[in-house]
Amino acid sequence: MASRKDLANAIRALSMDGVQAANSGHPGAPMGMADIAEVLWNDFLDHNPANPDWFNRDRFVLSNGHGSMLIYSLLHLSGYDLGIEDLKQFRQLHSRTAGHPEYGYAPGIETTTGPLGQGIANAVGFAAAEKILAANFNKPGYDVVDHFTYAFMGDGCLMEGISHEVCSLAGTLKLGKLIAFYDDNGISIDGEVEGWFTDDTPARFRSYGWQVIDNVDGHDAASIAAAIELAKANTEQPTIICCKTVIGFGSPNKAGSHDCHGAPLGADEIKASKEALGWKYGDFEVPADVYEGWNGKAAGSEKEASWDSLFAAYAAEYPAEAAELKRRSTGELPANWEEVSSKMLAKFAAEPTKVASRKASQNVLDVIGAELPELLGGSADLAPSNLTFHKSSKSITDKDPAGNYLHYGVREFGMSAMINGLALHGGFIPYGATFLVFMEYARNAIRMAAIMKQRLVHVYTHDSIGLGEDGPTHQPVEQVANLRNTPNLNTWRPCDEFETGVAWVSGIEKTDGPTALILSRQGLAPMERTAAQQADVAKGGYVLVDSEGAPEVILIATGSEVELATQAAATLKEQGKAVRVVSMPCTSVFDAQDAAYKESVLPAAVSKRVAVEALHVDFWYKYVGLNGKVIGMSTYGESAPAADLYKHFGITADAVVEAANSL
Amino acid sequence: MASRKDLANAIRALSMDGVQAANSGHPGAPMGMADIAEVLWNDFLDHNPANPDWFNRDRFVLSNGHGSMLIYSLLHLSGYDLGIEDLKQFRQLHSRTAGHPEYGYAPGIETTTGPLGQGIANAVGFAAAEKILAANFNKPGYDVVDHFTYAFMGDGCLMEGISHEVCSLAGTLKLGKLIAFYDDNGISIDGEVEGWFTDDTPARFRSYGWQVIDNVDGHDAASIAAAIELAKANTEQPTIICCKTVIGFGSPNKAGSHDCHGAPLGADEIKASKEALGWKYGDFEVPADVYEGWNGKAAGSEKEASWDSLFAAYAAEYPAEAAELKRRSTGELPANWEEVSSKMLAKFAAEPTKVASRKASQNVLDVIGAELPELLGGSADLAPSNLTFHKSSKSITDKDPAGNYLHYGVREFGMSAMINGLALHGGFIPYGATFLVFMEYARNAIRMAAIMKQRLVHVYTHDSIGLGEDGPTHQPVEQVANLRNTPNLNTWRPCDEFETGVAWVSGIEKTDGPTALILSRQGLAPMERTAAQQADVAKGGYVLVDSEGAPEVILIATGSEVELATQAAATLKEQGKAVRVVSMPCTSVFDAQDAAYKESVLPAAVSKRVAVEALHVDFWYKYVGLNGKVIGMSTYGESAPAADLYKHFGITADAVVEAANSL
């Protein structure tokens, strides 16, 4: 029978071989954390390699994602559908073993990691998801939602600010089933961390209310196991296990130094390391007894089967709850969704009201929030401004987690990466809110949601100089273009309550990526639409006001500037111009329409085009071309009442008229 | 003589009146921190209201910038050129009292604040600047650089991740002359913070190595003064003074609640508050004895005069150092700069070499770093990858701060906001580096540098799928468009060593805003240029390869794709096409050229245009129009060797040829 050391050395050998074959990658972390991973996966992790989607599995997150060969080795060895050939293809095109762990590529990868600090934030999201679902669904004797979330992290994760945001909140929420391992190896890319990282990390985590298990020898299986036992026993606090490790453990000449962090060890050093470790096998060779020691399929199937029995009994006693949990875990919308959403839109159309689109969004939430218990809200301490707390919202607290609204505090990045975790966990459609400009604090988490194609909704209010007095630091200019350029993300900037409703419905129904809603602080006049036009809003861009006969000039607008475009169109019409107004709430959805539809909205023959949006002008040349004009911003805003600012920056109906006439 | 309470109440009264007149703003924080501010400004702050630019003044940063009426009140009362009329114009167009404190608007504003957490990060930059300059310039008996940096911060700043990054680093660097005040009022926008913020903040800051002065009554002058004395006495550690305060102190019905955080108190409540405080004066009225108690002009002039004497004596004994400090404090470049930079560029032109542009950047730094002691480098733990450590680099440590290179650790946002502080302080041209995609972690600090028009350089390497195996999380797609859309920021993506040199020179010479350098991981072939072409690089876009006679088609490219465009041009030429290649390393600089030059490069008559860049395609429609084509990315990348990726994503010379022929 293979010893624990043999089992751990299999990770080290595969990691060295994988990185060497790819001629790029990071062997140091996998070699350093191999013993910890071995104990955790073989003795504690509840998972089923044959079914990576088992809903009640423990979640495992490698927050230091550059150590990807660690997780690929674990998945391969424990019996996931990831063969040795996959490992040999590490970092090659079309392989499932990408340079960093990519969600959706290899089975068992719970989240894409690499951008440091976000993995632990996702893990906090997983743990929050578990706690909230458990509170909402478990019944006496039926802990049908009951799993741990484990995360590995290195010095980099702990230096990143996001680790502060989410670990602080995890302490407040008492996420007692979150267990993090700190790979304290003293090395980062610039060298020995003591020159730039001298935190007393255990003291820091105690200040967050965590249980801290300090001074664990990360190469001693018994110490690791004892620490995990302690961690699991305390479900009132999240736990951090601080492990002293040696980066590149086993490499005679590179262990403990930066040299083994991010480059192949080289053939000679690999040979020397394998000798030093007593690993006698060839490249990518793992002996049968080691495979046997690792194989988690039988135990996994047993665990899932046992849970299946529990769930069957639960379903017998609580059929409605069981059906609902099942529905939510698969991401299906309720049977009445279509009815709820169409009724809501019909009401908005029938009773046009002038409201800020942030208020329209709250009106939407008041309706759909009552029907979608999976809608898990929150804001980064701006609930009264973002208007994200709706009639059916109930705050989640450490003592009463059976709610549907998280107060994230002033933690935009933490919130956004946590909702990625909430979405990935299953059971939720999360939304998170802040002022649009502070989307920037969270920007990379938004990108990560888009890369992972997660269904969630970002609510961004105060969307332009229209917010007024708060001034340039608060007034978005270049932010929406950035969101629109983000692949897989739909960015909606609705012009009134009806479009806001359509945007929300689109976000809820989009299962292959996130949605951003760009909402105004100020009131927006409702537009009139025919039934056909109402239907066309969902196409992202449509003719809102048309000319009689072919248009000479087309005005394109979004959000708060649509009304202004219609005013300009009225003036131009009086002047005898054949003018069309296109409302374009979502450019990516419009771009995805068929060519005929797009041509019907923006005929190629009409090159006289003016776009108007109180945001950066450059984005719009894509639609108006070299001969068109764009009315918008190319500088920062100013602090003043909104009406003064629109005049000051020349974003007026007159300016649109003038631009149209100048073409 | 006015009592301390009277003096503090002047802040409260002005803050209530200012917010009321504007009908928007935040009275709660100024009213809560008035007593702390009164003690600090009247008893401790070394500044000269008559000369806000006195180099050795203490720096004061209001990190909770929404409390802007606090700093406007302080500036007005202590004698800065900010009259009562300015205060009455709070939040109006063209006033100097913007909604948040804006650098360059009112005298005495050291940095623009509002985006939470960044003020304290700027303050860490100020304190680092002082420590580094002092180490480089002070002589025995001549502490010519010797000042404190004070920062106010609220719960929001402390929840933000960036506070972790910079306070951790401040502890490591032992910035003993940094003194921060925590306004512990228990309230944030969502309500009482205990639901989302339960950190033991004193313990947290002890874990960073700070001196913590806890449990200070923020409304008791003697306690505040005693705490500041203690803080100043310890110059080995930064100090945080944790003050218990009541938000909206003095308001009978709104103090201690969220109601007074971000909205005017209303006329009735203001009346009641003034009565409760014993403030008997009209709107915006301050009695003479209160003005007298605040006036800091005499003391300030005396302090500056005393420093002037010290500096004169220093200059007599150390004339070279004094002249150099003077030069650096005014931001002038060395007399030989022109010579140094032209010689460097001439060498690059004369000895064309194939190097990655990140390596070219290091070659530039090797030259200019030796001549510009004000160049203060750093990277967020990627020095060996960003290649930012040059031949004259010397690491700064807590024990030896007399260097020119900061190891920021894995703290992109903290680094970027710190270099804003370093630039604002004076004496430095800072540069900071990370992988381009992780610019996103720091994004809002980049915007803040641009808003404040600070001279600094962002070095962003690994600029596209060209980085290869690290995969989609590391491969930029939409990032450069975002930077190009950022007002006041110049974004350069050079195609070879020569263009990299020009980009660096441009960044060093640009005194009205920051510069971002977008650099490749992979080697780039050097382009051939005539002397005229060499000169035109500085114009941001120029004809690199021209057709004989008027061009039929124009290829526009940047960075690593310029070589590819020249290959395509060669093929097209063979096919008999008149083709021009435009290298466009910096679109904003090109856009700023006169119309004639732009027409000479991109003649309006030539509508057949193809842009090629391994980044998001949408940006380029601005230059190719509706009839042009763009070869680039509109999805995320993949993990694979770079050459495979270029082929996979169709970014090839053949694709450019095909696109050109299809027009």
Side-chain angles (χ1 to χ4, degrees):
Chain A
M1 210 182 88
S3 70
R4 278 194 178 282
K5 279 289 161 203
D6 291 335
L7 300 182
N9 286 339
I11 296 174
R12 296 190 173 100
L14 289 173
S15 299
M16 287 188 282
D17 291 344
V19 172
Q20 189 67 25
N23 197 26
S24 89
H26 301 75
M31 296 172 76
M33 295 195 82
D35 297 302
I36 304 168
E38 189 279 316
V39 174
L40 175 65
W41 277 57
N42 283 325
D43 291 14
F44 293 95
L45 194 74
D46 283 346
H47 66 133
N48 183 5
N51 179 15
D53 297 328
W54 173 32
F55 192 65
N56 198 47
R57 69 193 180 277
D58 289 340
R59 266 58 170 186
F60 175 79
V61 176
L62 187 72
S63 192
N64 44 348
H66 51 274
S68 51
M69 274 307 303
L70 174 62
I71 195 164
Y72 297 143
S73 301
L74 290 166
L75 294 169
H76 169 69
L77 291 165
S78 63
Y80 284 78
D81 176 22
L82 194 73
I84 198 75
E85 290 306 316
D86 289 306
L87 270 58
K88 289 182 183 170
Q89 287 299 305
F90 182 48
R91 297 187 153 227
Q92 304 309 306
L93 195 57
H94 306 308
S95 88
R96 299 195 291 168
T97 50
H100 289 81
E102 299 284 344
Y103 176 76
Y105 283 49
I109 302 292
E110 301 282 3
T111 179
T112 297
T113 52
L116 293 175
Q118 288 190 70
I120 180 65
N122 298 157
V124 173
F126 283 128
E130 194 269 353
K131 182 161 181 162
I132 299 164
L133 279 179
N136 280 293
F137 284 97
N138 288 355
K139 300 286 177 191
Y142 296 109
D143 286 345
V144 289
V145 181
D146 178 22
H147 70 77
F148 285 85
T149 299
Y150 298 98
F152 281 9
M153 52 187 183
D155 291 296
C157 292
L158 288 175
M159 282 187 255
E160 290 287 3
I162 189 173
S163 69
H164 167 61
E165 298 183 4
V166 298
C167 294
S168 165
L169 190 57
T172 300
L173 294 173
K174 298 197 197 307
L175 302 180
K177 287 155 89 178
L178 171 65
I179 300 175
F181 296 78
Y182 167 31
D183 180 30
D184 183 7
N185 62 28
I187 294 294
S188 67
I189 294 179
D190 271 16
E192 293 175 15
V193 299
E194 63 186 17
W196 45 90
F197 185 46
T198 56
D199 288 3
D200 178 345
T201 296
R204 175 186 163 206
F205 276 76
R206 276 185 209 108
S207 82
Y208 297 150
W210 285 48
Q211 171 177 230
V212 176
I213 304 176
D214 198 7
N215 277 316
V216 174
D217 178 347
H219 300 298
D220 179 68
S223 307
I224 298 162
I228 299 175
E229 292 287 3
L230 255 178
K232 289 185 69 173
N234 180 346
T235 54
E236 286 300 301
Q237 294 174 292
T239 295
I240 182 169
I241 303 176
C242 301
C243 300
K244 296 272 175 207
T245 65
V246 177
I247 190 170
F249 183 95
S251 161
N253 302 301
K254 297 191 172 179
S257 96
H258 162 254
D259 292 348
C260 64
H261 170 86
L265 295 187
D268 291 349
E269 185 66 13
I270 291 177
K271 189 157 172 271
S273 303
K274 288 184 179 173
E275 268 172 33
L277 292 165
W279 186 261
K280 306 186 185 88
Y281 315 100
D283 294 352
F284 293 105
E285 185 187 343
V286 177
D289 65 329
V290 170
Y291 272 126
E292 198 178 318
W294 271 106
N295 197 313
K297 287 168 106 167
S301 295
E302 216 167 281
K303 279 170 190 163
E304 183 170 355
S306 150
W307 182 81
D308 285 344
S309 309
L310 179 77
F311 192 81
Y314 172 79
E317 199 162 341
Y318 304 99
E321 287 84 349
E324 181 69 354
L325 180 58
K326 203 128 217 184
R327 178 187 74 76
R328 284 178 54 176
S329 70
T330 56
E332 259 176 58
L333 294 171
N336 68 343
W337 167 251
E338 171 66 34
E339 190 192 335
V340 167
S341 57
S342 353
K343 227 171 106 181
M344 174 184 73
L345 292 177
K347 182 172 172 288
F348 289 160
E351 301 167 15
T353 320
K354 177 168 182 168
V355 287
S357 47
R358 62 174 171 152
K359 178 64 189 161
S361 165
Q362 193 177 42
N363 293 345
V364 172
L365 286 168
D366 282 342
V367 176
I368 67 175
E371 305 290 337
L372 292 176
E374 60 266 51
L375 205 54
L376 183 74
S379 158
D381 199 46
L382 287 170
S385 296
N386 299 141
L387 301 180
T388 38
F389 201 85
H390 57 77
K391 283 181 184 160
S392 307
S393 288
K394 184 190 163 194
S395 297
I396 289 160
T397 67
D398 64 315
K399 289 189 194 69
D400 182 6
N404 62 356
Y405 194 93
L406 274 165
H407 295 273
Y408 289 98
V410 189
R411 303 181 178 98
E412 299 81 6
F413 195 10
M415 169 179 74
S416 305
M418 271 181 69
I419 69 177
N420 293 351
L422 286 160
L424 287 160
H425 182 279
F428 297 101
I429 303 176
Y431 64 96
T434 184
F435 289 158
L436 172 55
V437 86
F438 299 124
M439 169 279 288
E440 299 195 330
Y441 275 54
R443 165 64 205 170
N444 198 255
I446 296 152
R447 185 176 207 249
M448 293 300 287
I451 286 182
M452 294 189 280
K453 302 186 179 175
Q454 288 306 294
R455 172 163 62 179
L456 50 84
V457 179
H458 299 291
V459 178
Y460 295 133
T461 70
H462 295 62
D463 73 346
S464 72
I465 53 166
L467 66 86
E469 293 87 345
D470 274 342
T473 57
H474 283 53
Q475 291 162 355
V477 172
E478 68 276 35
Q479 287 63 29
V480 173
N482 180 225
L483 293 172
R484 289 184 181 134
N485 282 344
T486 303
N488 303 346
L489 173 70
N490 279 348
T491 300
W492 289 83
R493 188 170 186 254
C495 75
D496 63 5
E497 190 172 44
F498 186 85
E499 282 193 1
T500 306
V502 174
W504 258 111
V505 171
S506 162
I508 297 294
E509 294 179 355
K510 178 176 167 65
T511 54
D512 61 353
T515 295
L517 305 179
I518 310 299
L519 306 173
S520 73
R521 175 184 185 233
Q522 73 274 30
L524 303 182
M527 295 292 125
E528 276 180 55
R529 291 177 191 85
T530 64
Q533 285 174 317
Q534 288 170 26
D536 282 347
V537 174
K539 295 179 182 158
Y542 62 99
V543 179
L544 176 67
V545 177
D546 210 357
S547 52
E548 288 168 36
E552 294 168 70
V553 56
I554 298 176
L555 310 181
I556 310 172
T558 80
S560 42
E561 284 67 65
V562 168
E563 186 184 4
L564 198 149
T566 61
Q567 291 163 350
T571 305
L572 286 163
K573 199 179 167 186
E574 279 168 28
Q575 295 174 358
K577 281 262 182 356
V579 58
R580 164 181 291 187
V581 177
V582 170
S583 176
M584 182 83 90
C586 185
T587 58
S588 59
V589 167
F590 178 75
D591 290 350
Q593 302 303 314
D594 61 40
Y597 179 75
K598 287 190 278 189
E599 171 68 16
S600 77
V601 176
L602 295 176
V606 185
S607 70
K608 291 185 181 177
R609 300 178 181 188
V610 180
V612 52
E613 186 178 62
L615 293 166
H616 203 286
V617 293
D618 276 6
F619 176 81
W620 288 101
Y621 291 101
K622 179 179 171 190
Y623 298 98
V624 304
L626 298 174
N627 302 318
K629 294 236 164 156
V630 186
I631 306 290
M633 303 286 294
S634 52
T635 67
Y636 295 107
E638 292 288 351
S639 168
D644 295 353
L645 292 173
Y646 271 90
K647 241 179 269 172
H648 176 72
F649 288 105
I651 303 174
T652 61
D654 286 349
V656 175
V657 169
E658 199 179 320
N661 282 327
S662 78
L663 294 175
Chain B
M1 213 179 87
S3 70
R4 278 195 178 283
K5 278 290 161 199
D6 291 336
L7 300 182
N9 285 339
I11 296 173
R12 295 190 174 100
L14 289 174
S15 298
M16 287 189 281
D17 291 344
V19 172
Q20 188 67 25
N23 197 26
S24 89
H26 301 75
M31 295 173 77
M33 295 196 83
D35 297 303
I36 304 168
E38 190 277 318
V39 173
L40 175 64
W41 277 58
N42 283 324
D43 291 14
F44 293 95
L45 194 74
D46 284 345
H47 64 134
N48 182 6
N51 180 15
D53 297 327
W54 172 33
F55 192 65
N56 197 45
R57 69 193 180 277
D58 288 341
R59 266 59 169 185
F60 175 79
V61 176
L62 186 73
S63 192
N64 45 347
H66 51 275
S68 52
M69 273 307 303
L70 174 62
I71 196 165
Y72 297 143
S73 301
L74 290 165
L75 295 169
H76 169 69
L77 291 165
S78 63
Y80 283 78
D81 177 21
L82 195 72
I84 197 76
E85 290 307 316
D86 288 307
L87 269 59
K88 289 182 184 170
Q89 288 299 305
F90 181 49
R91 296 186 155 231
Q92 304 309 305
L93 195 57
H94 304 310
S95 87
R96 300 195 291 167
T97 50
H100 289 80
E102 299 285 344
Y103 176 76
Y105 284 48
I109 302 291
E110 302 282 4
T111 179
T112 297
T113 53
L116 293 175
Q118 289 190 69
I120 181 65
N122 298 157
V124 173
F126 284 129
E130 195 269 352
K131 183 161 181 161
I132 299 164
L133 278 179
N136 280 294
F137 283 98
N138 288 355
K139 299 286 177 189
Y142 295 109
D143 286 346
V144 290
V145 181
D146 179 21
H147 69 76
F148 285 85
T149 299
Y150 298 99
F152 281 9
M153 53 187 182
D155 291 296
C157 292
L158 289 175
M159 282 186 257
E160 290 287 3
I162 189 174
S163 69
H164 167 60
E165 298 184 4
V166 298
C167 293
S168 166
L169 191 55
T172 300
L173 294 174
K174 298 197 197 303
L175 301 180
K177 287 155 91 178
L178 171 65
I179 300 174
F181 297 79
Y182 168 30
D183 180 30
D184 183 7
N185 62 28
I187 295 293
S188 67
I189 293 179
D190 271 15
E192 293 174 15
V193 299
E194 62 187 18
W196 45 90
F197 185 46
T198 55
D199 288 3
D200 179 346
T201 297
R204 175 185 164 206
F205 276 76
R206 277 185 209 107
S207 83
Y208 297 151
W210 287 47
Q211 171 176 231
V212 176
I213 305 176
D214 197 6
N215 276 315
V216 174
D217 177 347
H219 300 297
D220 180 67
S223 306
I224 299 161
I228 300 174
E229 292 287 4
L230 256 178
K232 289 185 67 172
N234 180 346
T235 53
E236 286 299 301
Q237 293 174 291
T239 296
I240 183 169
I241 302 177
C242 300
C243 301
K244 296 273 174 205
T245 65
V246 177
I247 190 171
F249 183 95
S251 162
N253 303 301
K254 297 188 171 178
S257 98
H258 162 255
D259 293 347
C260 64
H261 170 86
L265 295 187
D268 292 349
E269 187 65 13
I270 291 178
K271 192 157 169 271
S273 303
K274 288 185 179 172
E275 268 171 34
L277 292 166
W279 184 262
K280 304 183 188 90
Y281 315 100
D283 294 354
F284 293 104
E285 185 189 341
V286 178
D289 65 328
V290 170
Y291 271 127
E292 198 179 319
W294 271 106
N295 196 313
K297 287 167 107 167
S301 295
E302 214 167 282
K303 279 170 189 163
E304 184 171 354
S306 150
W307 182 80
D308 284 344
S309 310
L310 179 77
F311 193 81
Y314 173 79
E317 200 163 340
Y318 304 100
E321 287 84 349
E324 181 70 353
L325 180 56
K326 202 128 217 182
R327 179 186 74 75
R328 284 179 54 176
S329 70
T330 56
E332 259 175 60
L333 294 172
N336 68 344
W337 167 251
E338 171 66 35
E339 191 194 334
V340 167
S341 57
S342 350
K343 227 170 106 180
M344 173 184 74
L345 293 178
K347 181 170 172 291
F348 289 160
E351 302 167 14
T353 321
K354 177 168 181 169
V355 287
S357 47
R358 62 175 171 150
K359 178 63 189 163
S361 166
Q362 192 178 42
N363 293 344
V364 172
L365 286 169
D366 282 342
V367 175
I368 67 174
E371 305 290 336
L372 292 176
E374 60 265 51
L375 206 55
L376 184 74
S379 158
D381 200 43
L382 287 170
S385 296
N386 298 141
L387 302 182
T388 38
F389 202 85
H390 57 78
K391 283 182 185 161
S392 307
S393 287
K394 183 188 163 197
S395 297
I396 290 160
T397 67
D398 65 314
K399 288 191 193 69
D400 182 6
N404 62 356
Y405 193 92
L406 274 164
H407 295 274
Y408 288 99
V410 189
R411 301 180 179 101
E412 300 81 6
F413 195 10
M415 170 180 74
S416 305
M418 272 181 69
I419 69 175
N420 293 350
L422 287 160
L424 286 160
H425 182 279
F428 297 101
I429 302 176
Y431 65 95
T434 184
F435 289 157
L436 173 56
V437 87
F438 299 123
M439 169 280 288
E440 299 196 328
Y441 275 53
R443 165 64 204 169
N444 198 253
I446 295 151
R447 185 176 207 247
M448 293 299 288
I451 286 183
M452 294 190 280
K453 302 185 178 174
Q454 290 304 294
R455 172 162 62 180
L456 50 84
V457 179
H458 300 291
V459 177
Y460 296 133
T461 70
H462 295 62
D463 73 346
S464 72
I465 53 167
L467 66 85
E469 293 87 345
D470 274 341
T473 58
H474 283 53
Q475 291 162 354
V477 172
E478 68 276 36
Q479 287 64 28
V480 173
N482 182 224
L483 294 172
R484 289 184 180 133
N485 281 344
T486 303
N488 305 344
L489 174 70
N490 280 348
T491 301
W492 289 82
R493 188 169 186 255
C495 75
D496 64 4
E497 190 172 44
F498 186 85
E499 283 193 0
T500 306
V502 174
W504 258 111
V505 170
S506 162
I508 297 295
E509 294 179 355
K510 179 176 167 62
T511 54
D512 61 351
T515 295
L517 305 180
I518 311 300
L519 305 173
S520 73
R521 175 182 185 234
Q522 73 274 31
L524 304 182
M527 295 293 125
E528 275 180 57
R529 292 177 191 85
T530 64
Q533 284 174 318
Q534 288 171 25
D536 281 347
V537 174
K539 294 178 182 159
Y542 63 99
V543 179
L544 177 66
V545 177
D546 210 358
S547 51
E548 287 168 35
E552 292 168 72
V553 57
I554 299 176
L555 310 180
I556 310 172
T558 80
S560 42
E561 285 67 66
V562 168
E563 185 183 5
L564 198 148
T566 61
Q567 291 163 350
T571 306
L572 287 162
K573 202 180 167 186
E574 280 169 26
Q575 297 174 356
K577 280 262 179 2
V579 59
R580 164 180 292 186
V581 177
V582 171
S583 175
M584 182 82 92
C586 184
T587 58
S588 58
V589 166
F590 178 73
D591 290 350
Q593 302 303 315
D594 62 40
Y597 179 75
K598 287 190 280 189
E599 171 67 20
S600 77
V601 176
L602 296 177
V606 185
S607 70
K608 291 185 180 175
R609 301 177 180 189
V610 180
V612 52
E613 186 178 62
L615 294 165
H616 202 286
V617 291
D618 275 5
F619 177 81
W620 288 102
Y621 292 102
K622 180 180 171 190
Y623 297 99
V624 305
L626 298 174
N627 301 319
K629 294 238 164 154
V630 186
I631 306 289
M633 302 286 292
S634 51
T635 67
Y636 295 107
E638 292 288 352
S639 169
D644 294 353
L645 292 173
Y646 271 89
K647 240 178 269 172
H648 176 72
F649 289 105
I651 303 174
T652 61
D654 287 347
V656 175
V657 169
E658 197 178 323
N661 283 327
S662 77
L663 294 174

